[in-house]
Short mmCIF file of all heavy atoms in Angstrom, two decimals:
data_model
loop_
_atom_site.label_atom_id
_atom_site.label_comp_id
_atom_site.label_asym_id
_atom_site.label_seq_id
_atom_site.Cartn_x
_atom_site.Cartn_y
_atom_site.Cartn_z
N GLN A 28 112.50 88.68 105.62
CA GLN A 28 113.19 87.49 105.48
C GLN A 28 112.93 87.04 104.04
O GLN A 28 112.82 85.63 103.94
CB GLN A 28 112.88 86.40 106.49
CG GLN A 28 113.27 86.83 107.88
CD GLN A 28 114.77 86.78 108.14
OE1 GLN A 28 115.35 85.79 107.87
NE2 GLN A 28 115.37 87.79 108.68
N GLY A 29 112.88 87.73 103.11
CA GLY A 29 112.80 87.24 101.74
C GLY A 29 111.23 86.97 101.24
O GLY A 29 110.92 86.52 100.25
N ILE A 30 110.40 87.09 102.24
CA ILE A 30 108.91 86.77 102.13
C ILE A 30 108.27 88.10 101.80
O ILE A 30 108.38 89.07 102.44
CB ILE A 30 108.29 86.09 103.39
CG1 ILE A 30 109.11 84.95 103.74
CG2 ILE A 30 106.85 85.81 103.14
CD1 ILE A 30 109.24 83.69 102.77
N PHE A 116 106.41 77.49 93.44
CA PHE A 116 107.67 77.19 94.02
C PHE A 116 108.21 75.85 93.57
O PHE A 116 109.39 75.53 93.39
CB PHE A 116 107.72 77.35 95.43
CG PHE A 116 107.83 78.74 96.04
CD1 PHE A 116 106.67 79.25 96.70
CD2 PHE A 116 108.89 79.50 95.75
CE1 PHE A 116 106.75 80.57 97.11
CE2 PHE A 116 108.96 80.86 96.21
CZ PHE A 116 107.92 81.33 96.86
N ASN A 119 109.59 76.30 90.20
CA ASN A 119 110.73 77.24 90.27
C ASN A 119 111.99 76.53 90.87
O ASN A 119 113.09 76.81 90.35
CB ASN A 119 110.46 78.55 91.09
CG ASN A 119 111.43 79.54 91.11
OD1 ASN A 119 111.61 80.23 90.14
ND2 ASN A 119 112.30 79.66 92.05
N PHE A 120 111.79 75.70 91.80
CA PHE A 120 112.90 75.03 92.45
C PHE A 120 113.18 73.54 92.04
O PHE A 120 113.81 72.79 92.61
CB PHE A 120 112.60 74.88 94.00
CG PHE A 120 112.86 76.23 94.70
CD1 PHE A 120 111.84 76.66 95.68
CD2 PHE A 120 113.74 77.11 94.29
CE1 PHE A 120 112.01 77.83 96.36
CE2 PHE A 120 113.94 78.42 94.89
CZ PHE A 120 112.93 78.69 95.95
N SER A 122 114.96 72.44 89.76
CA SER A 122 116.36 71.95 89.55
C SER A 122 117.09 72.06 90.77
O SER A 122 118.31 71.53 90.71
CB SER A 122 117.05 72.76 88.43
OG SER A 122 117.05 74.16 88.86
N ALA A 123 116.58 72.64 91.78
CA ALA A 123 117.43 72.60 93.03
C ALA A 123 117.17 71.43 93.86
O ALA A 123 116.22 70.71 93.53
CB ALA A 123 116.94 73.86 93.90
N GLU A 124 118.04 71.21 94.79
CA GLU A 124 117.97 69.89 95.57
C GLU A 124 117.28 70.05 96.85
O GLU A 124 117.76 69.62 97.92
CB GLU A 124 119.40 69.18 95.62
CG GLU A 124 119.89 68.86 94.29
CD GLU A 124 121.43 68.63 94.29
OE1 GLU A 124 121.94 68.87 95.32
OE2 GLU A 124 121.96 68.32 93.22
N TYR A 125 116.28 70.85 96.93
CA TYR A 125 115.66 71.23 98.29
C TYR A 125 114.57 70.24 98.36
O TYR A 125 113.80 69.80 97.59
CB TYR A 125 114.91 72.67 98.14
CG TYR A 125 115.79 73.77 97.86
CD1 TYR A 125 115.13 75.05 97.71
CD2 TYR A 125 117.18 73.65 97.93
CE1 TYR A 125 115.97 76.10 97.41
CE2 TYR A 125 117.88 74.71 97.66
CZ TYR A 125 117.33 76.04 97.32
OH TYR A 125 118.18 77.04 97.11
N PRO A 126 114.40 69.71 99.79
CA PRO A 126 113.43 68.76 100.09
C PRO A 126 112.01 69.49 99.94
O PRO A 126 111.99 70.78 100.26
CB PRO A 126 113.66 68.38 101.50
CG PRO A 126 114.96 68.91 101.89
CD PRO A 126 115.37 69.93 100.85
N VAL A 127 110.99 68.76 99.59
CA VAL A 127 109.78 69.49 99.45
C VAL A 127 109.30 70.21 100.82
O VAL A 127 108.70 71.18 100.77
CB VAL A 127 108.68 68.53 99.07
CG1 VAL A 127 107.16 69.09 99.01
CG2 VAL A 127 108.96 67.98 97.64
N GLN A 128 109.50 69.41 102.02
CA GLN A 128 109.07 70.06 103.20
C GLN A 128 109.80 71.31 103.58
O GLN A 128 109.18 72.25 104.08
CB GLN A 128 109.10 68.94 104.33
CG GLN A 128 110.56 68.58 104.80
CD GLN A 128 110.92 67.28 103.99
OE1 GLN A 128 110.48 67.05 102.84
NE2 GLN A 128 111.60 66.38 104.64
N PHE A 129 111.07 71.37 103.08
CA PHE A 129 111.79 72.65 103.23
C PHE A 129 111.13 73.85 102.33
O PHE A 129 110.99 74.77 102.98
CB PHE A 129 113.27 72.43 102.84
CG PHE A 129 114.06 73.75 102.72
CD1 PHE A 129 114.48 74.34 103.94
CD2 PHE A 129 114.23 74.49 101.54
CE1 PHE A 129 115.17 75.39 103.90
CE2 PHE A 129 114.88 75.69 101.59
CZ PHE A 129 115.42 76.28 102.88
N ILE A 130 110.84 73.49 101.22
CA ILE A 130 110.09 74.51 100.25
C ILE A 130 108.92 74.90 100.91
O ILE A 130 108.46 76.07 100.94
CB ILE A 130 109.91 73.98 98.80
CG1 ILE A 130 111.35 73.52 98.37
CG2 ILE A 130 109.25 74.85 97.88
CD1 ILE A 130 111.18 72.86 96.78
N VAL A 131 108.00 73.95 101.37
CA VAL A 131 106.83 74.36 101.98
C VAL A 131 106.93 75.25 103.23
O VAL A 131 106.28 76.18 103.25
CB VAL A 131 105.97 72.92 102.34
CG1 VAL A 131 104.74 73.26 103.19
CG2 VAL A 131 105.61 72.24 101.12
N PHE A 132 107.91 74.85 104.13
CA PHE A 132 107.94 75.63 105.44
C PHE A 132 108.75 76.79 105.21
O PHE A 132 108.54 77.87 105.95
CB PHE A 132 108.48 74.68 106.38
CG PHE A 132 107.52 73.76 107.04
CD1 PHE A 132 107.68 72.38 106.66
CD2 PHE A 132 106.37 74.10 107.67
CE1 PHE A 132 106.68 71.40 107.14
CE2 PHE A 132 105.47 73.22 108.10
CZ PHE A 132 105.59 71.87 107.84
N ARG A 133 109.69 76.92 104.21
CA ARG A 133 110.54 78.02 104.08
C ARG A 133 109.82 79.09 103.24
O ARG A 133 110.00 80.38 103.39
CB ARG A 133 111.95 77.80 103.55
CG ARG A 133 112.86 78.80 103.22
CD ARG A 133 113.14 79.72 104.47
NE ARG A 133 113.92 80.86 103.97
CZ ARG A 133 113.38 82.04 103.51
NH1 ARG A 133 112.21 82.13 103.34
NH2 ARG A 133 114.26 83.03 103.17
N TYR A 134 109.15 78.65 102.26
CA TYR A 134 108.66 79.51 101.19
C TYR A 134 107.16 79.59 101.09
O TYR A 134 106.41 80.69 101.20
CB TYR A 134 109.27 79.19 99.82
CG TYR A 134 110.63 79.45 99.73
CD1 TYR A 134 111.56 78.25 99.81
CD2 TYR A 134 111.24 80.81 99.49
CE1 TYR A 134 113.01 78.58 99.69
CE2 TYR A 134 112.50 80.86 99.46
CZ TYR A 134 113.41 79.92 99.45
OH TYR A 134 114.80 80.08 99.41
N VAL B 122 110.73 84.96 94.74
CA VAL B 122 111.99 84.59 95.05
C VAL B 122 113.07 85.48 94.28
O VAL B 122 112.84 86.01 93.09
CB VAL B 122 112.51 83.12 94.74
CG1 VAL B 122 112.01 82.26 95.94
CG2 VAL B 122 111.74 82.69 93.47
N ALA B 123 114.25 85.79 94.86
CA ALA B 123 115.16 86.71 94.24
C ALA B 123 115.82 85.95 93.08
O ALA B 123 116.88 85.39 93.40
CB ALA B 123 116.17 87.17 95.28
N PHE B 165 123.33 85.33 91.06
CA PHE B 165 123.99 84.16 91.42
C PHE B 165 123.23 83.30 92.39
O PHE B 165 123.16 82.14 92.44
CB PHE B 165 125.23 84.74 92.23
CG PHE B 165 126.28 83.66 92.70
CD1 PHE B 165 126.31 82.37 92.16
CD2 PHE B 165 127.09 83.92 93.84
CE1 PHE B 165 127.11 81.41 92.76
CE2 PHE B 165 127.97 82.96 94.35
CZ PHE B 165 127.86 81.68 93.67
N SER B 166 122.43 84.04 93.22
CA SER B 166 121.51 83.38 94.32
C SER B 166 120.25 82.71 93.58
O SER B 166 119.50 82.06 94.35
CB SER B 166 121.01 84.33 95.37
OG SER B 166 120.31 85.44 94.67
N ASP B 167 120.05 82.71 92.34
CA ASP B 167 118.97 82.08 91.63
C ASP B 167 119.38 80.57 91.67
O ASP B 167 120.51 80.24 91.30
CB ASP B 167 118.82 82.63 90.14
CG ASP B 167 117.67 81.84 89.48
OD1 ASP B 167 117.05 80.96 89.93
OD2 ASP B 167 117.34 82.37 88.39
N VAL B 168 118.43 79.70 92.13
CA VAL B 168 118.82 78.28 92.20
C VAL B 168 119.14 77.57 90.95
O VAL B 168 119.60 76.60 90.75
CB VAL B 168 117.71 77.51 92.91
CG1 VAL B 168 117.45 77.92 94.29
CG2 VAL B 168 116.27 77.66 92.11
N ASN B 169 118.61 78.37 89.75
CA ASN B 169 119.01 77.69 88.42
C ASN B 169 120.24 78.27 87.86
O ASN B 169 120.63 77.92 86.74
CB ASN B 169 117.89 78.03 87.49
CG ASN B 169 116.49 77.57 88.09
OD1 ASN B 169 116.45 76.41 88.31
ND2 ASN B 169 115.56 78.59 88.34
N PHE B 170 120.93 79.07 88.64
CA PHE B 170 122.29 79.72 88.10
C PHE B 170 123.32 78.66 88.46
O PHE B 170 123.44 78.02 89.54
CB PHE B 170 122.51 80.85 88.93
CG PHE B 170 123.54 81.69 88.47
CD1 PHE B 170 123.31 82.83 87.46
CD2 PHE B 170 124.86 81.66 88.93
CE1 PHE B 170 124.34 83.53 87.04
CE2 PHE B 170 125.92 82.46 88.47
CZ PHE B 170 125.59 83.38 87.36
N ARG B 171 124.36 78.43 87.56
CA ARG B 171 125.45 77.60 87.72
C ARG B 171 126.68 78.39 87.29
O ARG B 171 126.56 79.25 86.27
CB ARG B 171 125.27 76.34 86.83
CG ARG B 171 124.20 75.41 87.09
CD ARG B 171 124.25 74.85 88.46
NE ARG B 171 123.16 73.85 88.74
CZ ARG B 171 121.91 74.33 89.27
NH1 ARG B 171 121.85 75.55 89.58
NH2 ARG B 171 121.00 73.36 89.39
N MET B 186 126.74 76.02 92.69
CA MET B 186 125.11 76.36 92.69
C MET B 186 124.67 77.00 94.03
O MET B 186 125.24 76.49 95.08
CB MET B 186 124.27 75.12 92.30
CG MET B 186 124.35 74.04 93.39
SD MET B 186 123.33 72.64 92.78
CE MET B 186 121.65 73.31 93.07
N TRP B 187 123.68 77.78 94.06
CA TRP B 187 123.21 78.42 95.30
C TRP B 187 122.35 77.36 96.13
O TRP B 187 121.76 76.53 95.60
CB TRP B 187 122.37 79.55 94.93
CG TRP B 187 122.17 80.47 96.05
CD1 TRP B 187 121.10 80.71 96.94
CD2 TRP B 187 123.07 81.39 96.62
NE1 TRP B 187 121.39 81.55 97.84
CE2 TRP B 187 122.67 82.07 97.62
CE3 TRP B 187 124.39 81.74 96.19
CZ2 TRP B 187 123.26 83.06 98.39
CZ3 TRP B 187 125.16 82.76 96.88
CH2 TRP B 187 124.52 83.35 97.99
N GLN B 188 122.38 77.56 97.48
CA GLN B 188 121.69 76.72 98.28
C GLN B 188 120.67 77.70 99.08
O GLN B 188 120.87 78.91 99.14
CB GLN B 188 122.48 76.09 99.31
CG GLN B 188 123.24 74.90 98.72
CD GLN B 188 123.93 74.00 99.85
OE1 GLN B 188 124.52 74.48 100.70
NE2 GLN B 188 123.54 72.79 99.97
N ALA B 189 119.65 77.12 99.72
CA ALA B 189 118.67 77.79 100.46
C ALA B 189 119.13 78.42 101.66
O ALA B 189 118.57 79.33 102.15
CB ALA B 189 117.49 76.76 100.80
N ASN B 190 120.27 77.93 102.20
CA ASN B 190 120.77 78.45 103.44
C ASN B 190 121.61 79.86 103.26
O ASN B 190 122.31 80.34 104.15
CB ASN B 190 121.61 77.56 104.15
CG ASN B 190 122.73 77.05 103.38
OD1 ASN B 190 123.00 77.45 102.39
ND2 ASN B 190 123.48 76.21 104.03
N GLY B 191 121.47 80.24 102.02
CA GLY B 191 122.22 81.52 101.79
C GLY B 191 123.77 81.35 101.46
O GLY B 191 124.56 82.35 101.33
N MET B 192 124.15 80.18 101.16
CA MET B 192 125.44 79.78 100.83
C MET B 192 125.46 79.02 99.54
O MET B 192 124.39 78.61 99.10
CB MET B 192 126.19 78.86 101.82
CG MET B 192 126.13 79.36 103.18
SD MET B 192 127.61 80.48 103.39
CE MET B 192 127.48 80.86 105.22
N ALA B 193 126.59 79.12 98.77
CA ALA B 193 126.79 78.30 97.58
C ALA B 193 127.45 77.07 97.85
O ALA B 193 128.11 77.04 98.81
CB ALA B 193 127.55 79.10 96.50
N ILE B 194 127.41 76.11 96.92
CA ILE B 194 128.08 74.80 97.18
C ILE B 194 128.67 74.31 95.90
O ILE B 194 128.05 74.45 94.83
CB ILE B 194 126.97 73.73 97.77
CG1 ILE B 194 128.01 72.54 98.28
CG2 ILE B 194 125.98 73.34 96.84
CD1 ILE B 194 127.23 71.77 99.30
N ARG B 196 130.13 70.91 94.30
CA ARG B 196 129.94 69.39 94.60
C ARG B 196 130.98 68.78 93.79
O ARG B 196 131.52 69.21 92.84
CB ARG B 196 128.65 69.02 94.50
CG ARG B 196 127.54 69.39 95.41
CD ARG B 196 126.50 68.47 95.69
NE ARG B 196 125.64 68.82 96.85
CZ ARG B 196 124.58 69.58 96.78
NH1 ARG B 196 124.32 70.05 95.61
NH2 ARG B 196 123.94 69.92 97.89
N VAL B 243 131.41 74.33 100.84
CA VAL B 243 130.32 75.40 100.96
C VAL B 243 131.01 76.72 100.92
O VAL B 243 132.08 76.95 101.51
CB VAL B 243 129.65 75.23 102.39
CG1 VAL B 243 128.71 76.33 102.57
CG2 VAL B 243 129.22 73.75 102.54
N ILE B 244 130.59 77.61 100.10
CA ILE B 244 131.23 78.99 99.77
C ILE B 244 130.22 80.11 100.20
O ILE B 244 129.07 80.07 99.94
CB ILE B 244 131.31 79.00 98.11
CG1 ILE B 244 132.30 77.82 97.77
CG2 ILE B 244 131.87 80.32 97.85
CD1 ILE B 244 132.18 77.55 96.31
N ASN B 251 121.48 90.60 98.02
CA ASN B 251 120.16 91.16 98.33
C ASN B 251 120.15 92.73 98.58
O ASN B 251 119.17 93.33 98.40
CB ASN B 251 119.72 90.65 99.81
CG ASN B 251 119.51 89.08 99.65
OD1 ASN B 251 118.73 88.61 98.70
ND2 ASN B 251 119.84 88.32 100.69
#
Side-chain angles (χ1 to χ4, degrees):
Chain A
Q28 296 285 310
I30 306 299
F116 283 115
N119 190 73
F120 289 140
S122 65
E124 295 160 0
Y125 300 169
V127 174
Q128 64 267 34
F129 173 81
I130 298 173
V131 170
F132 288 107
R133 171 64 182 84
Y134 295 100
Chain B
V122 279
F165 180 30
S166 57
D167 183 353
V168 291
N169 303 301
F170 192 92
R171 301 289 182 272
M186 63 181 286
W187 198 257
Q188 283 194 307
N190 60 2
M192 299 278 182
I194 192 162
R196 290 208 170 90
V243 179
I244 298 157
N251 294 317

